[in-house]
Amino acid sequence: MKVFISRPIPKVGIDMLKAKGWDVVVNEKAEGRAATKAELIEGAKSSDAILAVLTDKIDGEVMDVGTPALKIIANYAVGFDNIDLEAAKQRKIMVTNTPGVLTNTVAEHTFTLMLSIAHRISEADRFSRAGRYHAWGPNLLLGTDLSGKTLGVVGLGRIGSRVAFHAVKGFEMKVLYNDPKPNSDFEKEFGAQYVERIDDMLPHCDFVSIHVPLLDSTHHLINEARLKIMKRSAYLINTSRGPIIDEKALALSLSKGWIRGAAIDVFEFEPEIVPELKELDNVILTPHIASATGETRNKMAEMAAQNIIEALGGRTPPNLVK
Ligand code: GLV
Ligand code: GLV
């Protein structure tokens, strides 16, 4: 069996595959950068499995190079919008992801962003380093409390639920949520309130955090019109996928004061960032690192490797996406 790994991942996952005695090819060149299409095509040749990461666009062309050997594409991510699922289905190639193991880490990063933007941490750090701290001040860098405020969770999956947990249990926030369907157990546990239409939720939120997958229906879910109906004092957080927010509209809303701030880990044209955003003080920009802790990345590597081991062993991998 040949397994192609498109980027160097934590060793624990590579070792699990090597222990099977398989030919494990790691695309070592792609350290600190995305794999090129040519590298993906070369790697897919006569591979039984591809371990892909979210910067790899795995389309029908790449799959065809691997056909007929290719049985599984194991994505090293919970999101799988980088893989053409329809093309995989037509070619009877299994696709898996890494749900669950990163939920807590992403929720922690989401809260880090929320606290940091509300308490102006990045701005304060820049201020201190620039030698501008001359005296303590009653009005110096005033931020906003989270406690008692209303958080709107867009998408009540695993990560959205965990963010709500921190909000309610840790910060006594009130939680509104928008999702295709209500969840009465969640409502009982967290005193949360379901809002069927996002337009009816946004005007009531002090913080809005996005936790939906990228689909045709969620592309530009947060657009200029929706930014305009948010409170002028509101903060927007995004740790899901960049294209869910119209990033140019976000830059405009932050410069015009339609909302007070934003903290985002993902970008519409990743790794590019709309230049206007970088000029603004009321936004925090992290480079798609919400799941980036040592512990979680090891677990993701194990999970992706295990999915391949099951699939190549003729069994159904545990994290098959439909
Ligand atoms: C990261 O963005 C992931 O989907 O795991
Ligand atoms: C989204 O990725 C979720 O699991 O909530």
PDB file of all heavy atoms in Angstrom, residues 94-111:
ATOM      1  N   MET A  94     -13.562   7.136  -0.445  1.00  0.00           N
ATOM      2  CA  MET A  94     -14.054   7.571   0.865  1.00  0.00           C
ATOM      3  C   MET A  94     -13.372   8.870   1.279  1.00  0.00           C
ATOM      4  O   MET A  94     -12.211   9.100   0.949  1.00  0.00           O
ATOM      5  CB  MET A  94     -13.770   6.499   1.923  1.00  0.00           C
ATOM      6  CG  MET A  94     -14.562   5.222   1.710  1.00  0.00           C
ATOM      7  SD  MET A  94     -14.151   3.981   2.957  1.00  0.00           S
ATOM      8  CE  MET A  94     -12.905   3.055   2.070  1.00  0.00           C
ATOM      9  N   VAL A  95     -14.110   9.703   2.012  1.00  0.00           N
ATOM     10  CA  VAL A  95     -13.550  10.955   2.533  1.00  0.00           C
ATOM     11  C   VAL A  95     -13.807  10.972   4.044  1.00  0.00           C
ATOM     12  O   VAL A  95     -14.922  10.694   4.489  1.00  0.00           O
ATOM     13  CB  VAL A  95     -14.209  12.180   1.866  1.00  0.00           C
ATOM     14  CG1 VAL A  95     -13.686  13.480   2.486  1.00  0.00           C
ATOM     15  CG2 VAL A  95     -13.952  12.178   0.349  1.00  0.00           C
ATOM     16  N   THR A  96     -12.761  11.280   4.817  1.00  0.00           N
ATOM     17  CA  THR A  96     -12.930  11.365   6.273  1.00  0.00           C
ATOM     18  C   THR A  96     -12.390  12.694   6.795  1.00  0.00           C
ATOM     19  O   THR A  96     -11.621  13.368   6.111  1.00  0.00           O
ATOM     20  CB  THR A  96     -12.189  10.214   7.000  1.00  0.00           C
ATOM     21  OG1 THR A  96     -10.785  10.304   6.699  1.00  0.00           O
ATOM     22  CG2 THR A  96     -12.709   8.854   6.581  1.00  0.00           C
ATOM     23  N   ASN A  97     -12.813  13.061   8.009  1.00  0.00           N
ATOM     24  CA  ASN A  97     -12.328  14.299   8.647  1.00  0.00           C
ATOM     25  C   ASN A  97     -11.913  14.000  10.098  1.00  0.00           C
ATOM     26  O   ASN A  97     -11.840  12.840  10.489  1.00  0.00           O
ATOM     27  CB  ASN A  97     -13.399  15.396   8.550  1.00  0.00           C
ATOM     28  CG  ASN A  97     -14.638  15.104   9.381  1.00  0.00           C
ATOM     29  OD1 ASN A  97     -14.894  13.964   9.758  1.00  0.00           O
ATOM     30  ND2 ASN A  97     -15.407  16.135   9.659  1.00  0.00           N
ATOM     31  N   THR A  98     -11.635  15.038  10.861  1.00  0.00           N
ATOM     32  CA  THR A  98     -11.177  14.834  12.256  1.00  0.00           C
ATOM     33  C   THR A  98     -12.067  15.593  13.253  1.00  0.00           C
ATOM     34  O   THR A  98     -11.616  16.549  13.891  1.00  0.00           O
ATOM     35  CB  THR A  98      -9.714  15.304  12.431  1.00  0.00           C
ATOM     36  OG1 THR A  98      -9.645  16.708  12.106  1.00  0.00           O
ATOM     37  CG2 THR A  98      -8.744  14.545  11.568  1.00  0.00           C
ATOM     38  N   PRO A  99     -13.325  15.174  13.390  1.00  0.00           N
ATOM     39  CA  PRO A  99     -14.229  15.883  14.309  1.00  0.00           C
ATOM     40  C   PRO A  99     -13.930  15.543  15.769  1.00  0.00           C
ATOM     41  O   PRO A  99     -13.311  14.516  16.057  1.00  0.00           O
ATOM     42  CB  PRO A  99     -15.601  15.332  13.918  1.00  0.00           C
ATOM     43  CG  PRO A  99     -15.314  13.945  13.442  1.00  0.00           C
ATOM     44  CD  PRO A  99     -13.972  14.020  12.763  1.00  0.00           C
ATOM     45  N   GLY A 100     -14.391  16.391  16.666  1.00  0.00           N
ATOM     46  CA  GLY A 100     -14.341  16.063  18.101  1.00  0.00           C
ATOM     47  C   GLY A 100     -13.033  16.405  18.775  1.00  0.00           C
ATOM     48  O   GLY A 100     -13.025  17.155  19.758  1.00  0.00           O
ATOM     49  N   VAL A 101     -11.912  15.894  18.232  1.00  0.00           N
ATOM     50  CA  VAL A 101     -10.626  16.081  18.926  1.00  0.00           C
ATOM     51  C   VAL A 101     -10.197  17.545  19.006  1.00  0.00           C
ATOM     52  O   VAL A 101      -9.395  17.911  19.853  1.00  0.00           O
ATOM     53  CB  VAL A 101      -9.486  15.248  18.290  1.00  0.00           C
ATOM     54  CG1 VAL A 101      -9.684  13.776  18.579  1.00  0.00           C
ATOM     55  CG2 VAL A 101      -9.353  15.508  16.788  1.00  0.00           C
ATOM     56  N   LEU A 102     -10.713  18.383  18.112  1.00  0.00           N
ATOM     57  CA  LEU A 102     -10.285  19.787  18.136  1.00  0.00           C
ATOM     58  C   LEU A 102     -11.341  20.733  18.704  1.00  0.00           C
ATOM     59  O   LEU A 102     -11.112  21.940  18.814  1.00  0.00           O
ATOM     60  CB  LEU A 102      -9.853  20.245  16.728  1.00  0.00           C
ATOM     61  CG  LEU A 102     -10.761  19.907  15.540  1.00  0.00           C
ATOM     62  CD1 LEU A 102     -12.099  20.560  15.641  1.00  0.00           C
ATOM     63  CD2 LEU A 102     -10.080  20.249  14.232  1.00  0.00           C
ATOM     64  N   THR A 103     -12.482  20.184  19.086  1.00  0.00           N
ATOM     65  CA  THR A 103     -13.591  21.028  19.536  1.00  0.00           C
ATOM     66  C   THR A 103     -13.180  21.982  20.664  1.00  0.00           C
ATOM     67  O   THR A 103     -13.399  23.188  20.595  1.00  0.00           O
ATOM     68  CB  THR A 103     -14.765  20.137  20.014  1.00  0.00           C
ATOM     69  OG1 THR A 103     -15.162  19.305  18.924  1.00  0.00           O
ATOM     70  CG2 THR A 103     -15.936  20.976  20.481  1.00  0.00           C
ATOM     71  N   ASN A 104     -12.579  21.404  21.708  1.00  0.00           N
ATOM     72  CA  ASN A 104     -12.232  22.223  22.859  1.00  0.00           C
ATOM     73  C   ASN A 104     -11.181  23.276  22.518  1.00  0.00           C
ATOM     74  O   ASN A 104     -11.268  24.429  22.957  1.00  0.00           O
ATOM     75  CB  ASN A 104     -11.747  21.323  24.003  1.00  0.00           C
ATOM     76  CG  ASN A 104     -11.590  22.109  25.271  1.00  0.00           C
ATOM     77  OD1 ASN A 104     -12.541  22.741  25.722  1.00  0.00           O
ATOM     78  ND2 ASN A 104     -10.390  22.136  25.816  1.00  0.00           N
ATOM     79  N   THR A 105     -10.207  22.880  21.724  1.00  0.00           N
ATOM     80  CA  THR A 105      -9.136  23.813  21.362  1.00  0.00           C
ATOM     81  C   THR A 105      -9.677  24.979  20.543  1.00  0.00           C
ATOM     82  O   THR A 105      -9.321  26.142  20.784  1.00  0.00           O
ATOM     83  CB  THR A 105      -8.040  23.058  20.573  1.00  0.00           C
ATOM     84  OG1 THR A 105      -7.632  21.943  21.360  1.00  0.00           O
ATOM     85  CG2 THR A 105      -6.847  23.942  20.297  1.00  0.00           C
ATOM     86  N   VAL A 106     -10.540  24.689  19.589  1.00  0.00           N
ATOM     87  CA  VAL A 106     -11.104  25.760  18.764  1.00  0.00           C
ATOM     88  C   VAL A 106     -12.000  26.670  19.615  1.00  0.00           C
ATOM     89  O   VAL A 106     -11.984  27.893  19.469  1.00  0.00           O
ATOM     90  CB  VAL A 106     -11.872  25.198  17.542  1.00  0.00           C
ATOM     91  CG1 VAL A 106     -12.532  26.317  16.744  1.00  0.00           C
ATOM     92  CG2 VAL A 106     -10.924  24.407  16.639  1.00  0.00           C
ATOM     93  N   ALA A 107     -12.740  26.061  20.547  1.00  0.00           N
ATOM     94  CA  ALA A 107     -13.586  26.875  21.437  1.00  0.00           C
ATOM     95  C   ALA A 107     -12.709  27.767  22.324  1.00  0.00           C
ATOM     96  O   ALA A 107     -13.042  28.934  22.569  1.00  0.00           O
ATOM     97  CB  ALA A 107     -14.482  25.980  22.288  1.00  0.00           C
ATOM     98  N   GLU A 108     -11.583  27.247  22.787  1.00  0.00           N
ATOM     99  CA  GLU A 108     -10.661  28.069  23.585  1.00  0.00           C
ATOM    100  C   GLU A 108     -10.109  29.229  22.751  1.00  0.00           C
ATOM    101  O   GLU A 108     -10.007  30.356  23.228  1.00  0.00           O
ATOM    102  CB  GLU A 108      -9.482  27.216  24.110  1.00  0.00           C
ATOM    103  CG  GLU A 108      -9.852  26.356  25.298  1.00  0.00           C
ATOM    104  CD  GLU A 108      -8.627  25.736  25.991  1.00  0.00           C
ATOM    105  OE1 GLU A 108      -7.487  26.172  25.726  1.00  0.00           O
ATOM    106  OE2 GLU A 108      -8.834  24.822  26.806  1.00  0.00           O
ATOM    107  N   HIS A 109      -9.757  28.941  21.513  1.00  0.00           N
ATOM    108  CA  HIS A 109      -9.235  30.024  20.659  1.00  0.00           C
ATOM    109  C   HIS A 109     -10.324  31.061  20.393  1.00  0.00           C
ATOM    110  O   HIS A 109     -10.072  32.258  20.385  1.00  0.00           O
ATOM    111  CB  HIS A 109      -8.680  29.463  19.349  1.00  0.00           C
ATOM    112  CG  HIS A 109      -7.871  30.463  18.578  1.00  0.00           C
ATOM    113  ND1 HIS A 109      -6.559  30.755  18.875  1.00  0.00           N
ATOM    114  CD2 HIS A 109      -8.197  31.282  17.545  1.00  0.00           C
ATOM    115  CE1 HIS A 109      -6.110  31.695  18.049  1.00  0.00           C
ATOM    116  NE2 HIS A 109      -7.088  32.032  17.229  1.00  0.00           N
ATOM    117  N   THR A 110     -11.542  30.591  20.199  1.00  0.00           N
ATOM    118  CA  THR A 110     -12.668  31.502  19.978  1.00  0.00           C
ATOM    119  C   THR A 110     -12.811  32.440  21.177  1.00  0.00           C
ATOM    120  O   THR A 110     -12.981  33.657  21.023  1.00  0.00           O
ATOM    121  CB  THR A 110     -13.973  30.695  19.774  1.00  0.00           C
ATOM    122  OG1 THR A 110     -13.786  29.798  18.688  1.00  0.00           O
ATOM    123  CG2 THR A 110     -15.148  31.610  19.506  1.00  0.00           C
ATOM    124  N   PHE A 111     -12.713  31.854  22.375  1.00  0.00           N
ATOM    125  CA  PHE A 111     -12.813  32.691  23.573  1.00  0.00           C
ATOM    126  C   PHE A 111     -11.618  33.604  23.745  1.00  0.00           C
ATOM    127  O   PHE A 111     -11.748  34.748  24.214  1.00  0.00           O
ATOM    128  CB  PHE A 111     -13.075  31.845  24.831  1.00  0.00           C
ATOM    129  CG  PHE A 111     -14.457  32.109  25.316  1.00  0.00           C
ATOM    130  CD1 PHE A 111     -15.529  31.423  24.790  1.00  0.00           C
ATOM    131  CD2 PHE A 111     -14.693  33.140  26.206  1.00  0.00           C
ATOM    132  CE1 PHE A 111     -16.822  31.749  25.160  1.00  0.00           C
ATOM    133  CE2 PHE A 111     -15.978  33.474  26.584  1.00  0.00           C
ATOM    134  CZ  PHE A 111     -17.049  32.773  26.064  1.00  0.00           C
TER     135      PHE A 111
END
